[in-house]
Amino acid sequence: MIPHVVIAGRPNVGKSTLFNRLVGSRLALVADTPGVTRDRKEAEAVLAGTKVLLVDTAGLEEAAPDTLPGRMRASTGAAVEQADLVLFVFDARSGLLPEDRHFATWLRRTGKPVLVIANKAEGRGGAAAAMEAYELGLGEPLAISAEHNEGVYGLMQEIAERLPAPPAADDAAGQNLPLHFVIVGRPNAGKSTLMNYLLGEQRMITGPEPGLTRDAVSVDLTGPDGQLYRLVDTAGLRKRAKVDEGLERMSTSSSIEALKRAEMVVLAIDAAIGVQEQDLHIARLVEREGRACVIALTKWDAVDDRGGARQAALDRISISLSQMKGITVVPLSGETGEGINKLFPAIRATYEKWNLRIPTSALNRWFEAALERFPPPLVEGRRLKLRYITQVKARPPTFALFGTRAEQVPETYQRYLVNSLREAFEMPGVPIRIMLRGTDNPYVDKN
């Protein structure tokens, strides 16, 4: 296990900016609005030669446990319990506030090693402002400016010195790479509840309020099949016309970027509401990005007419998602765990089809039979001579079709070939690409 370094502090002191600076990438959403970060966000980083797991947390606030700030506070507390080192951040420009002192006392009681960070301490007066933090009784404060990259290198060295020595390297490490899958869907479709059940802990903040998740949050876990998975929960995707400027637009962009980086996608659809147009729009986005997909019908415990709900979803999907024909649908409940035992086998089976490579000989036997069953149509009164097909890559399965004027093959005939391919080689729910490669006829215009 690599050491956990948790960044904590009250809202809007620059925790996410520091997280991004230490990771070396803009992974966490950053805005001037307090309370942007709600869920813990994790990323591996190498600080002064030491590999660590950095954890960005929500701002610490005192609130009732059943409120949103209270649930955020509980999430931060869970992160601190697992920490090897806590970076307690305060705003040097504002100075120490009563809230800073209150949470510093709480951190002392946890017994965790704490490094006090005076952030926003750029300029000459920054170091002097940081000295105020001596009264917290947590050791010497370190003055930095995460936004302007001042003092960050010294912070990296300090973190490395305070952590235990890393364990000896395992030669087998890195060979079992995790399967990277992302959960997407409309707001309040049960994505975070599903993720919490899979992890066996309240990792994501959940509640009746739509739009709770803002960042794309990734966590590694070992599935029931013993395989490693990297699971990413995302913010809900709404119709573009309903996305407000600013923070929600950043959340949407973060979700789409997470989708592009993933290998597999679990599309969460609220079974109690049924398949909506926005669900289909998200599914088409997944297909355009070439990602394999499994549909999770969530909140299954709240459905009374299960047979009718399942059939209605299957009918809508088969009619509106012909390009993902045969996609696997798993009814489940993140609240009760019902049906979740079927999710990982569906993900693994679809992933294997997404990685499928078909031998050229088998592919061309299918191709000859497909051409014989339905010959290519005439285009501008001329016959298309399709000669052979070969697979050029997997992830998703992509094929090159060669022939005279192959580039003129109509879309309807391309769909026929894709559907026939999917059926012949059992690739349900997997995007299939066909590239058309025309060849010149040497006898054209020759006597």
Side-chain angles (χ1 to χ4, degrees):
M1 294 291 292
I2 62 175
H4 286 49
V5 177
V6 175
I7 305 173
R10 60 181 177 81
N12 216 33
V13 295
K15 298 184 298 298
S16 293
T17 303
L18 176 59
F19 176 85
N20 288 341
R21 182 67 71 182
L22 293 176
V23 172
S25 179
R26 290 182 62 86
L27 295 182
L29 297 185
V30 175
D32 291 333
T33 308
V36 170
T37 302
R38 288 175 172 172
D39 294 294
R40 310 198 299 271
K41 191 171 184 68
E42 300 177 351
E44 292 184 1
V46 178
L47 308 180
T50 301
K51 188 176 182 180
V52 303
L53 183 72
L54 282 171
V55 184
D56 185 23
T57 64
L60 287 165
E61 296 182 84
E62 275 299 321
D66 57 343
T67 63
L68 176 57
R71 301 199 297 272
M72 292 160 61
R73 163 75 187 276
S75 176
T76 300
V80 169
E81 286 181 7
Q82 301 172 3
D84 295 284
L85 177 66
V86 178
L87 306 184
F88 180 55
V89 184
F90 76 98
D91 186 340
R93 290 187 299 210
S94 302
L96 284 177
L97 300 184
E99 295 93 328
D100 295 313
R101 295 183 175 91
H102 172 74
F103 290 116
T105 301
W106 170 66
L107 283 173
R108 277 203 312 273
R109 290 172 179 165
T110 66
K112 294 289 183 179
V114 178
L115 176 58
V116 180
I117 308 296
N119 192 29
K120 307 182 184 180
E122 58 269 13
R124 295 181 178 179
M131 294 302 102
E132 184 184 2
Y134 269 111
E135 68 177 80
L136 298 177
L138 292 170
E140 181 179 357
L142 202 61
I144 70 163
S145 172
E147 184 176 359
H148 298 93
N149 201 22
E150 294 182 12
V152 175
Y153 180 69
L155 171 60
M156 292 180 179
Q157 290 182 309
E158 187 72 22
I159 291 171
E161 290 174 4
R162 293 191 180 214
L163 291 174
D170 186 355
D171 293 337
Q175 294 181 9
N176 186 12
L177 297 177
L179 190 162
H180 190 167
F181 76 93
V182 60
I183 305 175
V184 299
R186 292 183 294 109
N188 215 28
K191 302 181 295 297
S192 296
T193 303
L194 172 58
M195 182 169 181
N196 284 342
Y197 190 91
L198 294 176
L199 296 175
E201 61 171 306
Q202 284 296 113
R203 180 62 177 77
M204 304 297 296
I205 296 170
T206 60
E209 308 94 331
L212 284 180
T213 303
R214 286 174 170 170
D215 261 316
V217 178
S218 66
V219 183
D220 288 355
L221 76 153
T222 301
D225 53 3
Q227 300 293 321
L228 291 179
Y229 294 87
R230 177 160 295 155
L231 168 58
V232 184
D233 185 23
T234 63
L237 293 170
R238 298 200 299 164
K239 292 181 180 178
R240 184 178 299 177
K242 293 186 177 181
V243 175
D244 298 329
E245 292 291 336
L247 184 56
E248 188 179 1
R249 189 172 294 277
M250 290 196 301
S251 294
T252 300
S253 298
S254 176
S255 297
I256 293 174
E257 283 302 312
L259 187 155
K260 291 179 178 179
R261 291 194 298 269
E263 297 167 305
M264 279 287 307
V265 174
V266 174
L267 173 55
I269 296 177
D270 188 338
I273 298 176
V275 181
Q276 304 293 304
E277 186 58 39
Q278 180 63 5
D279 298 316
L280 299 174
H281 174 75
I282 297 171
R284 295 184 190 109
L285 174 63
V286 172
E287 195 276 336
R288 280 202 305 272
E289 292 298 330
R291 298 298 177 258
C293 186
V294 170
I295 290 179
L297 288 180
T298 61
K299 306 183 184 180
W300 197 240
D301 56 312
V303 177
D304 294 326
D305 181 11
R306 295 188 168 187
R310 183 187 178 98
Q311 192 57 49
L314 290 172
D315 291 344
R316 184 79 190 274
I317 291 166
S318 63
I319 293 171
S320 303
L321 291 177
S322 58
Q323 65 271 48
M324 300 176 75
K325 185 176 181 181
I327 190 169
T328 302
V329 176
V330 181
L332 52 80
S333 168
E335 284 286 348
T336 66
E338 180 184 359
I340 287 183
N341 61 323
K342 299 178 182 178
L343 181 61
F344 281 101
I347 290 172
R348 182 60 63 175
T350 305
Y351 176 73
E352 290 175 357
K353 296 299 182 184
W354 189 62
N355 281 277
L356 184 65
R357 285 195 172 274
I358 304 172
T360 302
S361 56
L363 195 57
N364 280 282
R365 282 196 299 272
W366 159 82
F367 186 52
E368 291 173 4
L371 293 180
E372 186 175 341
R373 189 180 306 115
F374 291 107
L378 297 176
V379 176
E380 298 177 351
R382 305 170 68 184
R383 182 185 171 198
L384 299 178
K385 295 183 179 179
L386 304 182
R387 304 186 184 282
Y388 67 97
I389 189 170
T390 185
Q391 185 172 2
V392 294
K393 74 179 191 72
R395 305 166 64 95
T398 302
F399 305 88
L401 175 60
F402 295 86
T404 305
R405 297 190 303 282
E407 70 281 359
Q408 298 179 15
V409 172
E411 286 190 15
T412 53
Y413 197 74
Q414 292 181 49
R415 283 198 296 271
Y416 157 67
L417 292 176
V418 166
N419 289 332
S420 180
L421 257 174
R422 179 174 283 118
E423 182 178 348
F425 296 103
E426 298 180 354
M427 293 184 285
V430 175
I432 295 175
R433 305 281 189 259
I434 290 185
M435 302 186 299
L436 306 176
R437 296 288 183 264
T439 56
D440 295 330
N441 186 343
Y443 300 104
V444 170
D445 298 330
K446 297 290 180 73
N447 295 326

